[in-house]
């Protein structure tokens, strides 16, 4: 086994180390989610923590790591006779992004069950991680149903496997650590809430600190064992401190006054449910034990809030993570004042001050955020604010206007619930919630011979395949004789995520303030819909003389929203260039991820200008997408009294459908999905 990098040798990253250590002291905190850019020691810190965990005593031969002092009475390997336990190091089990459900929770040996009548269960990673650490790198890229299973097991302390009439339950208590890069997409809010703590990490901008990081890493790579030996004393001291804090934890007092501060803080920041209050209480208690105290103080509550609340305040991916620390201090002060002279061992300092009274003030690592940012566009500025570069609504670019003038970015209108757009046909892409696809989960639609390991048995098809051969196999009345060739895998139909590529017209004809605000609001709504349906998104914009890829395809819809908000407008309308740029993007993505089907969303009024025959060029570019079977939707942004219908013409060239901004709302025309599907089939 390779020598892990010493935990105490990690430079900086105080919040990351504190979050991990608090979970080591009190696993009831509920794990930690580490968010940050690549190359910030996330994985290194998690693997280093395992070496600090106390050894565990297990029942010899038990695959589920039962404690010999109090074995699990429902252990599948039990019941266990009294025997001396054996000691081993706590495990760190890594869950790969591509893991299957069977690998996570365990699998039933279908072949032995059918041919021998034996209910043989093979444990999964949840059983391996019991009484240790379960580490999920890039947890935001894990399939949603796996995240659900993982977090359910972490919350209940047990894993349940129910399939083919067999029920298995085993203990699964572990320290859950997930890491993610926010640029690759967010977890859903309800899944974020299941992680006890969250910490934000970033590379240091201090030159001396960066030099020390490189120096230590090079020394470790040259001689891992020698480097670890130089830090052995610090590691031993930290290991003893964790053990002491664990022993002290049951004696820590959480006073009523401190509980009022916790409740007031959660109420002030409007977090959903009661899980935040419970996690804050457990975190504050662990902080007191870590500091060697038997009483929880206001500083502990403040630090607990900075670790437990930021990720619970996000309602959608466009909300910036973080906590307003000034508001936090004010809330804690008011709650402390309300309790008056009530006896509270954790409130010795009547005025902790804006910094929370000391070393609790530096935690969290989360930038403050002003609440309630107003994205509503100014009223009464619908193209009549006197700007000379704006053309009248509903008319083409006027010859005398300044076509190259660039307008300042306009704030988007309030997002709304968008009608679902789907890709026709049946795909096989990554699990999601948009288009029909063959998946591992969903309704059963048929059966086939298994390709590789059998995961979902189609019982009726298996019996049907075995029945004609019973006489030849010498059936003696003891039951059906089933062989491997008879087994049939169930085929299922569910939903997949798609690549939604937005091609947004940012030309002068779209620059009227009210119109561009509405357009941005519509795209924001579609981005929110893409987030909820687990899609990848990309953004191509065109204006002036060319088109550009504002955002390559990514799972981070908040990055797309940020690019959209800062989008300038003005100039001519190189529509053909935008469509050709989108074609290049889709061509590359088909090579990278051939199973993920694209949905092209063109947001324009269709008024192509600039260069020779701009409308004809745009038509040819549209037919190029149509020839490759790309599903497409044109969001018609034309308004005013004079309407040319050019967006509809473009939709016909693309083989897709055109919808207006009003029709894009979920409560508008009911046949939109049917129209998109029908147009795709016709193409």
């Amino acid at each position: 086994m390779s020598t892990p990098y010493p935990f105490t040798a990690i430079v900086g990253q105080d919040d990351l180390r504190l979050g991990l250590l608090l979970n080591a002291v009190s696993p009831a905190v509920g794990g930690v989610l580490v968010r940050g850019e690549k190359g910030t020691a996330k994985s290194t810190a998690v693997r280093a923590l395992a070496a600090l965990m106390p050894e565990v005593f297990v029942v010899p031969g038990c695959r589920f790591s039962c404690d010999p002092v109090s074995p699990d009475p429902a252990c599948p390997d039990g019941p266990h006779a009294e025997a001396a336990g054996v000691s081993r190091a706590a495990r760190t089990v890594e869950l790969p992004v591509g893991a299957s459900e069977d690998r996570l929770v365990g699998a039933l040996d279908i072949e032995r069950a059918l041919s021998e009548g034996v209910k043989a269960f093979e444990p999964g990673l949840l059983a391996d991680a019991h009484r240790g650490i379960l580490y999920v790198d890039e947890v935001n890229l894990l399939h949603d149903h796996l995240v659900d299973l993982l977090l359910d097991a972490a919350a209940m302390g047990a894993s349940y496997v129910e399939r083919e009439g067999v029920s298995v339950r085993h203990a699964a208590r572990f320290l859950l650590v997930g890491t993610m890069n926010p640029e690759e997409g967010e977890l859903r809010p309800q899944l974020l809430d299941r992680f006890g703590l969250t910490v934000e990490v970033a590379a240091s901008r201090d030159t001396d600190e960066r030099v020390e990081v490189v120096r230590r890493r090079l020394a470790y790579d040259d001689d891992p064992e020698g480097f670890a030996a130089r830090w052995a004393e610090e590691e031993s001291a930290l290991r003893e401190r964790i053990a002491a804090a664990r022993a002290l934890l049951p004696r820590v007092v959480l006073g009523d006054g401190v509980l009022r501060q916790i409740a007031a803080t959660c109420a002030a920041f409007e977090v959903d449910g009661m899980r935040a209050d419970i996690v804050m209480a457990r975190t504050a208690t662990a902080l007191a034990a870590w500091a060697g105290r038997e009483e929880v103080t206001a500083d502990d509550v403040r630090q607990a809030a900075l670790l437990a609340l930021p990720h619970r305040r996000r309602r959608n991916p466009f909300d910036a993570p973080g906590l307003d620390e000034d508001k936090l201090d004010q809330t804690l002060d008011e709650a402390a004042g309300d309790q008056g002279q009530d006896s509270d061992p954790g409130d010795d300092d009547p005025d902790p001050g804006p910094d929370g009274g000391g070393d609790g003030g530096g935690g969290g690592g989360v930038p403050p955020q002003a609440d309630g940012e107003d994205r509503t566009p100014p009223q009464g500025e619908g193209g009549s604010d006197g700007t000379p570069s704006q053309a009248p609504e509903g008319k083409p670019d006027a010859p005398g206007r300044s076509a190259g003038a660039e307008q300042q970015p306009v704030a988007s209108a309030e997002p709304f619930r968008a009608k679902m757009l789907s890709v026709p046909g049946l795909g096989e892409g990554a699990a999601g919630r948009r288009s029909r696809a063959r998946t591992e989960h969903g309704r059963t639609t048929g059966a086939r011979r298994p390709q590789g390991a059998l995961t979902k048995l189609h019982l009726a098809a298996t019996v049907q395949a075995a029945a004609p051969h019973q006489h030849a196999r010498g059936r003696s009345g003891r039951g059906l004789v089933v062989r491997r060739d008879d087994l049939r895998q169930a085929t299922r139909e569910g939903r997949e995520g798609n690549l939604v590529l937005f091609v947004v017209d940012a030309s002068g004809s779209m620059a009227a303030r009210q119109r561009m605000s509405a357009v941005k609001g519509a795209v924001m709504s579609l981005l929110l819909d893409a987030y909820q349906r687990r899609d990848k998104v990309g953004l191509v914009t065109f204006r002036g003389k060319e088109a550009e890829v504002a955002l390559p395809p990514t799972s981070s819809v908040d990055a797309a929203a940020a690019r959209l908000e800062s989008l300038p407008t003005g100039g001519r309308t190189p529509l053909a260039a935008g469509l050709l740029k989108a074609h290049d993007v889709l061509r590359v993505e088909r090579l990278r991820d051939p199973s993920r089907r694209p949905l092209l969303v063109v947001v324009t009024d269709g008024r192509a200008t600039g260069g020779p025959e701009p409308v004809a060029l745009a038509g040819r570019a549209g037919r190029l997408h149509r020839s490759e079977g790309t599903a497409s939707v044109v969001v018609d942004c034309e308004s005013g009294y004079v309407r040319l219908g050019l967006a509809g013409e473009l939709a016909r060239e693309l083989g897709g459908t055109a919808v207006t901004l009003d029709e894009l709302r979920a409560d508008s025309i009911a046949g939109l999905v049917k129209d998109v599907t029908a147009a795709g089939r016709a193409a």
Side-chain angles (χ1 to χ4, degrees):
M1 180 179 178
S2 60
T3 304
Y5 191 91
F7 191 87
T8 51
I10 296 174
V11 179
Q13 306 297 10
D14 295 338
D15 299 323
L16 170 60
R17 291 188 292 165
L18 179 61
L20 293 172
L21 290 171
L22 291 178
N23 275 273
V25 171
S26 176
V29 167
V32 58
L33 176 65
V34 186
R35 298 163 42 92
E37 58 198 28
K38 53 187 176 294
T40 49
K42 300 189 296 291
S43 300
T44 298
V46 176
R47 296 187 178 102
L49 179 67
L52 301 176
M53 300 290 285
E55 290 189 339
V56 295
F57 286 88
V58 298
V59 174
C62 178
R63 297 173 299 166
F64 301 88
S65 302
C66 280
D67 187 343
V69 178
S70 56
D72 182 3
C75 176
D77 284 355
H80 297 297
E82 292 186 9
V86 295
S87 175
R88 65 164 174 79
R91 293 173 178 158
T92 296
V93 177
E94 296 191 30
L95 175 63
V97 170
S100 65
E101 179 181 346
D102 290 338
R103 185 71 186 99
L104 177 63
V105 301
L108 188 69
D109 191 331
I110 301 290
E111 295 180 43
R112 290 189 63 192
L114 288 175
S115 60
E116 303 176 24
V118 177
K119 296 179 180 179
F121 177 74
E122 184 66 27
L125 295 177
L126 291 180
D128 292 341
H130 180 46
R131 304 176 67 194
I133 300 173
L134 182 59
Y135 172 47
V136 189
D137 194 13
E138 307 296 351
V139 65
N140 52 323
L141 303 183
L142 201 64
H143 287 176
D144 285 350
H145 73 280
L146 292 182
V147 178
D148 287 331
L149 290 170
L150 177 67
L151 296 178
D152 283 343
M156 295 186 296
S159 175
Y160 295 84
V161 182
E162 305 279 352
R163 61 180 58 173
E164 281 78 43
V166 176
S167 176
V168 176
R169 174 227 171 261
H170 64 82
R173 293 182 295 275
F174 44 81
L175 194 167
L176 176 63
V177 182
T179 62
M180 59 175 283
N181 185 344
E183 295 179 357
E184 296 174 336
E186 289 286 353
L187 279 172
R188 289 179 290 153
Q190 59 268 41
L191 298 180
L192 282 172
D193 183 54
R194 302 294 289 274
F195 280 94
L197 310 179
T198 184
V199 294
E200 298 276 345
V201 295
S204 173
R205 299 297 182 260
D206 180 79
T207 302
D208 293 336
E209 195 167 289
R210 294 175 74 96
V211 167
E212 187 62 23
V213 169
V214 175
R215 181 182 291 119
R216 293 186 186 183
R217 186 68 210 191
L218 292 177
Y220 170 77
D221 291 341
D222 289 342
D223 183 10
E225 293 183 1
F227 184 82
R230 292 196 292 272
W231 290 90
E233 186 175 344
E234 288 84 350
E235 292 283 286
S236 178
L238 188 57
R239 190 178 298 110
E240 292 175 1
R241 186 177 176 184
I242 292 174
R246 281 190 168 191
L248 178 62
L249 187 66
R251 304 198 302 271
V252 175
V253 177
L254 189 69
D256 289 343
V258 172
L259 278 174
R260 288 188 63 85
Q261 287 184 310
I262 291 173
T265 301
C266 293
F269 285 100
E270 301 179 350
V271 295
D272 295 331
M274 296 297 297
R275 185 176 282 116
D277 304 63
I278 296 170
V279 171
M280 273 190 65
R282 289 172 174 167
T283 304
T285 304
L287 281 162
W290 179 246
R293 289 183 273 102
E294 296 186 4
E295 299 174 349
V296 177
T297 67
D299 288 345
D300 297 328
V301 175
R302 186 182 194 279
Q303 182 69 69
L306 292 172
L307 293 171
L309 295 188
H311 61 301
R312 292 186 165 87
R313 297 191 61 247
R314 302 196 75 182
R315 297 296 189 272
N316 63 62
F318 308 143
D319 294 337
L323 213 61
D324 185 338
E325 297 193 31
D326 291 336
K327 180 179 178 180
L328 173 61
D329 292 331
Q330 180 182 355
T331 302
L332 292 174
D333 289 344
E334 291 175 354
D338 290 342
Q339 70 192 23
Q341 300 300 320
D342 291 348
S343 175
D344 182 5
D347 193 28
D348 296 333
D349 184 359
D351 183 15
D355 293 329
D359 56 359
V366 182
Q369 172 202 5
D371 293 334
E373 179 183 353
D374 184 13
R375 289 182 172 178
T376 305
Q379 300 298 318
E381 297 184 77
S384 58
D385 58 356
T387 306
S389 61
Q390 291 182 348
E393 286 290 308
K395 296 185 179 180
D397 295 339
R401 67 177 293 186
S402 178
E406 179 176 307
Q407 307 298 313
Q408 291 298 318
V410 177
S412 72
E414 194 68 24
F416 51 82
R417 189 167 68 91
K419 189 178 290 294
M420 187 183 77
L421 308 174
S422 63
V423 178
L426 195 64
E428 295 182 340
R433 297 186 174 184
R434 184 171 298 279
S435 304
R436 295 172 55 229
R438 299 181 185 92
T439 61
E440 287 294 321
H441 298 269
R443 64 185 182 90
T444 301
T445 58
R448 59 171 173 82
R449 290 182 180 274
Q451 299 171 350
L454 178 67
T455 55
K456 300 291 182 181
L457 176 72
H458 195 296
L459 186 58
T462 299
V463 172
Q464 187 175 7
H469 308 289
Q470 296 306 297
H471 180 72
R473 293 173 184 174
R475 177 184 174 188
S476 60
R478 294 186 302 168
L480 193 69
V481 179
V482 179
R483 295 180 178 173
R484 181 178 180 84
D485 290 342
D486 303 325
L487 299 179
R488 294 296 182 268
Q489 173 86 24
T491 58
R492 298 172 181 254
E493 182 178 308
R495 294 279 174 175
E496 67 176 359
N498 298 119
L499 166 60
V500 183
L501 182 61
F502 295 93
V503 182
V504 180
D505 185 347
S507 64
S509 65
M510 301 282 289
R513 190 173 186 84
Q514 188 177 37
R515 184 196 297 186
M516 198 62 203
S517 176
V519 167
K520 285 188 175 182
V523 179
M524 284 286 195
S525 304
L526 291 170
L527 284 172
L528 182 58
D529 181 70
Y531 163 76
Q532 294 168 341
R533 301 189 188 281
R534 316 308 291 165
D535 296 315
K536 290 179 70 174
V537 296
L539 180 62
V540 172
T541 64
F542 58 93
R543 58 181 289 272
K545 297 181 179 180
E546 59 185 13
E548 66 172 346
V549 180
L551 183 71
T554 175
S555 296
S556 179
V557 296
D558 51 341
R563 300 291 175 87
L564 184 70
E565 283 284 14
S566 60
L567 179 66
T569 57
R572 296 190 178 276
T573 312
L575 179 55
L579 294 173
L580 292 174
K581 181 67 71 173
H583 180 266
D584 291 341
V585 172
L586 294 180
R587 178 179 55 80
V588 173
E589 282 302 304
R590 285 190 180 98
L591 296 175
R592 290 177 176 171
D593 190 358
S595 65
R596 189 181 289 268
R597 298 187 295 164
L599 174 63
L600 185 68
V601 179
V602 184
V603 185
T604 181
D605 56 10
R607 300 176 183 181
T609 60
E613 300 182 341
V615 176
L617 283 174
R620 285 199 290 272
R623 290 192 294 275
L624 180 60
H625 284 280
R626 180 175 182 172
S627 67
E628 296 183 351
T630 303
S632 59
V633 176
V634 178
V635 180
D636 186 356
C637 302
E638 194 173 31
S639 60
Y641 296 107
V642 179
R643 302 200 179 198
L644 305 179
L646 296 175
E649 290 290 338
L650 176 62
R652 284 188 284 274
E653 297 287 7
L654 286 164
T657 186
V659 297
T660 65
L661 292 175
D662 290 336
E663 291 171 347
L664 201 58
R665 294 179 179 272
D667 54 359
S668 66
I669 298 174
L672 180 59
V673 175
K674 183 170 65 176
D675 292 343
V676 174
T677 304
R681 287 174 179 167

